[in-house]
Amino acid sequence: MTVVVLLGAPGAGKGTQAPVLADELGVPVLASGDLLRAAVANGTALGREADRYMSRGQLVPDETIVRVFLDRLEQPDAKSGAILDGFPRTEVQAEALDRALAEAGRRVDRTIFIDVPVEELVERMANRRICTANGHVYNLASNRPKSDSVCDVDGSPLVQRPDDREETVRARMNEQIPPLLEVVEHYRNQGIIQHVDGREPISNVSARLVRALGVAPGQVST
Ligand code: AP5
């Protein structure tokens, strides 16, 4: 069983890279943003609550996301492990995850922080497009689809995420980076975090992440 937490600011490349690590380890990706967007799309009570925060670039309250995410982590497909994308994002969430895993005799095995400067993140998100059917991620500058409006993989329309408008992106950075840094510190104190430079082209970052998986936790991998 391997639980890997993939950390990074909004737009750092977690969603792009998580499937690479999942393939490497043969475990599923559990992405908190995808869980919340599905709830919004389905118009559930969770979705209506989450949308109020997501549309303003704010974090969904800890008690809500902890309940939803830990419930997802208990599903049978995650019994052999998972790549966690977007959770935990606050110290409270990190502690709740530690407790839930400990109760099941499990633990976070390692954490990888994808490090990218804020200005580059803002530009990345302005150019991001996602497919409406399965959330495949593209970038009009660095990872172009064959057509700007159609997904290469499943042919569905490509759209901009509502929270990728510049004013919301700035709010996300301001609201979400400080608690993220506390989570980085949380795992640094446990000696299980590695930093990977996320500024390079996508395939180079993938190679660095896979290499980081092979290095003992806490050692510098790149
Ligand atoms: P979520 O969906 O998790 O958004 P995020 O963390 O803000 O991350 P993003 O999806 O924006 O970025 P990413 O790191 O996955 O980057 P990507 O690979 O797409 O959360 C959305 C919202 O839900 C939050 O704002 C919050 O409201 C709520 N929420 C979620 N989890 C929560 C939690 N735990 N607690 C409370 N609230 C929560 O890449 C970005 C772009 O860059 C793409 O276009 C990609 O093609 C491109 N790109 C990727 N890598 C590179 C590279 N190396 N070089 C150049 N371009 C690249």
Side-chain angles (χ1 to χ4, degrees), residues 130-195:
I130 57 167
C131 95
T132 40
N134 294 298
H136 294 116
V137 182
Y138 298 90
N139 192 284
L140 299 184
S142 61
N143 182 23
R144 282 195 92 98
K146 292 193 186 88
S147 153
D148 285 358
S149 57
V150 180
C151 177
D152 292 351
V153 182
D154 57 37
S156 70
L158 296 180
V159 296
Q160 188 167 35
R161 264 171 49 175
D163 57 349
D164 275 350
R165 287 188 311 270
E166 189 172 342
E167 64 277 16
T168 316
V169 166
R170 295 274 173 198
R172 287 162 68 192
M173 298 298 169
N174 292 338
E175 298 261 343
Q176 299 187 21
I177 289 181
L180 171 70
L181 296 179
E182 291 177 16
V183 176
V184 169
E185 196 55 31
H186 177 89
Y187 291 117
R188 182 175 294 129
N189 291 337
Q190 294 185 6
I192 56 168
I193 194 161
Q194 285 160 285
H195 288 242

Side-chain angles (χ1 to χ4, degrees), residues 38-67:
V40 172
N42 290 331
T44 63
L46 167 66
R48 287 193 299 278
E49 181 192 356
D51 193 38
R52 287 203 297 277
Y53 298 93
M54 295 168 79
S55 61
R56 284 181 277 173
Q58 297 170 345
L59 289 173
V60 171
D62 285 330
E63 58 273 23
T64 301
I65 191 70
V66 163
R67 177 174 43 81

Side-chain angles (χ1 to χ4, degrees), residues 11 14-16 32 37 58 86 89 128 138-139 142 172 200:
K14 303 180 297 298
T16 300
S32 52
R37 276 185 289 280
Q58 297 170 345
R89 248 153 135 129
R128 172 164 52 190
Y138 298 90
N139 192 284
S142 61
R172 287 162 68 192
E200 293 199 18

